[in-house]
Amino acid sequence: DESNFTIKSNYANTIQYPHRFLGQRSDWPFLQEEAKFALNQPLVDENGEVYFEIDYKNQKEKYTPEAIMGTFLNKLKFNWKKAGYETRDIVISCPDYFVAHERNALIEAIKIADLNCTALINESSAIALAYGLFRRMTFEKETPKIVGFVDMGQTKTTVFFGSFTQNNQKVISVTSERFCGARDIDYILMEHYGGKFKQKYGCDPLKNTKCKLRLLDAISKARKILTGNKDTNLSVESLMEDEDLNHMIS
């Protein structure tokens, strides 16, 4: 709730999902689709490279996705050092669909954070390793057990299959969808209920960033409630022009 309050009060200087822009250029086929989720819209310089403009102490500053991701990793480093872990060596995972320039951009972000990446592995491999390591004695020595995994996150969904024996584990098939995550569901619901609100009251909350954020926040909370309940109330008081939004969803 505290972070959501910060985002709502300073959305123009908020960069969400910086990893989604790593290594991207103006000719990236998914740039416009990704930009619709951005509070601070990505810009493109004369070389076709993506950057963000942030108002810092009343001055406009340019930051690349790599620099922003590096700042995030540096914060993580500060946290684990505060907890007593003095190391610069890290193993980091990335989406399976990351191509060479995206992986190189992630490595550049790691260098900006003054960290040493000992291995960059696919997320499916990381999950398979964690799954197989603690269950190895339940597998047979020779005949592999095939296990399917569905990994649906905030921004994407990956389905993959792994093969496991007591002494070996490997990923044998991976399929990913870049734009199929919880935020995509929330966005569709926002457009739907925002449209209903406009139809009823004549004002469009989707044209106001703060209204969109309040609606998305309410939808996200309702979605989580629905994981354990058949229905819930989607409610936003004084969403726009002192009018309330109220709907039952299931």
Side-chain angles (χ1 to χ4, degrees):
D1 289 341
E2 184 178 346
S3 60
N4 280 332
F5 176 79
T6 303
I7 290 172
K8 291 174 186 176
S9 61
N10 193 26
Y11 62 84
N13 289 319
T14 298
I15 311 299
Q16 291 183 301
Y17 316 114
H19 64 290
R20 303 279 293 185
F21 295 95
L22 288 173
Q24 303 309 328
R25 297 177 58 84
S26 59
D27 57 355
W28 181 46
F30 305 114
L31 183 59
Q32 292 305 313
E33 179 68 14
E34 188 62 43
K36 79 179 187 182
F37 298 103
L39 298 176
N40 184 313
Q41 285 297 300
L43 303 172
V44 178
D45 64 16
E46 61 275 9
N47 297 317
E49 296 182 351
V50 174
Y51 70 94
F52 294 91
E53 196 170 72
I54 296 174
D55 187 357
Y56 181 69
K57 293 183 178 179
N58 296 321
Q59 290 188 346
K60 293 293 185 180
E61 301 282 353
K62 293 182 179 180
Y63 293 90
T64 64
E66 293 75 26
I68 297 166
M69 194 67 189
T71 302
F72 171 74
L73 292 171
N74 192 59
K75 178 65 175 178
L76 290 182
K77 180 180 68 175
F78 172 81
N79 288 341
W80 74 60
K81 284 192 173 184
K82 188 177 179 180
Y85 299 97
E86 292 290 337
T87 182
R88 292 177 53 252
D89 296 333
I90 62 170
V91 175
I92 195 164
S93 64
C94 66
D96 290 70
Y97 56 74
F98 261 26
V99 293
H101 66 274
E102 292 171 296
R103 293 170 189 263
N104 290 335
L106 179 54
I107 292 173
E108 179 62 28
I110 294 169
K111 290 179 180 178
I112 290 173
D114 192 29
L115 293 169
N116 177 40
C117 182
T118 59
L120 180 64
I121 64 176
N122 290 334
E123 289 178 349
S124 62
S125 297
I127 294 171
L129 283 169
Y131 179 86
L133 181 64
F134 297 104
R135 296 171 177 81
R136 57 179 301 181
M137 298 313 297
T138 66
F139 304 135
E140 296 184 17
K141 290 185 176 181
E142 302 294 336
T143 304
K145 180 179 181 180
I146 307 301
V147 181
F149 300 83
V150 179
D151 176 19
M152 184 176 186
Q154 177 70 1
T155 63
K156 62 175 177 59
T157 295
T158 298
V159 178
F160 68 94
F161 292 88
S163 171
F164 300 89
T165 62
Q166 286 188 8
N167 299 310
N168 186 41
Q169 51 199 18
K170 63 180 179 180
V171 176
I172 56 179
S173 176
V174 182
T175 300
S176 295
E177 174 52 57
R178 281 181 181 257
F179 296 99
C180 182
R183 68 170 186 174
D184 298 270
I185 297 172
D186 292 349
Y187 198 90
I188 291 170
L189 291 172
M190 179 192 70
E191 291 182 318
H192 175 74
Y193 288 108
K196 282 183 172 291
F197 188 90
K198 179 183 177 181
Q199 186 179 24
K200 184 175 181 179
Y201 298 112
C203 50
D204 189 358
L206 302 186
K207 291 184 177 180
N208 183 293
T209 302
K210 286 188 176 182
C211 291
K212 286 173 64 176
L213 287 172
R214 292 186 64 208
L215 183 52
L216 281 171
D217 186 40
I219 289 170
S220 177
K221 290 177 180 177
R223 172 169 49 78
K224 293 170 184 176
I225 292 173
L226 287 174
T227 60
N229 298 272
K230 291 183 178 180
D231 51 48
T232 188
N233 186 45
L234 175 64
S235 176
V236 184
E237 293 185 3
S238 299
L239 176 60
M240 196 173 196
E241 296 185 4
D242 293 325
E243 300 292 352
D244 302 335
L245 181 142
N246 279 289
H247 290 280
M248 287 298 297
I249 59 175
S250 60

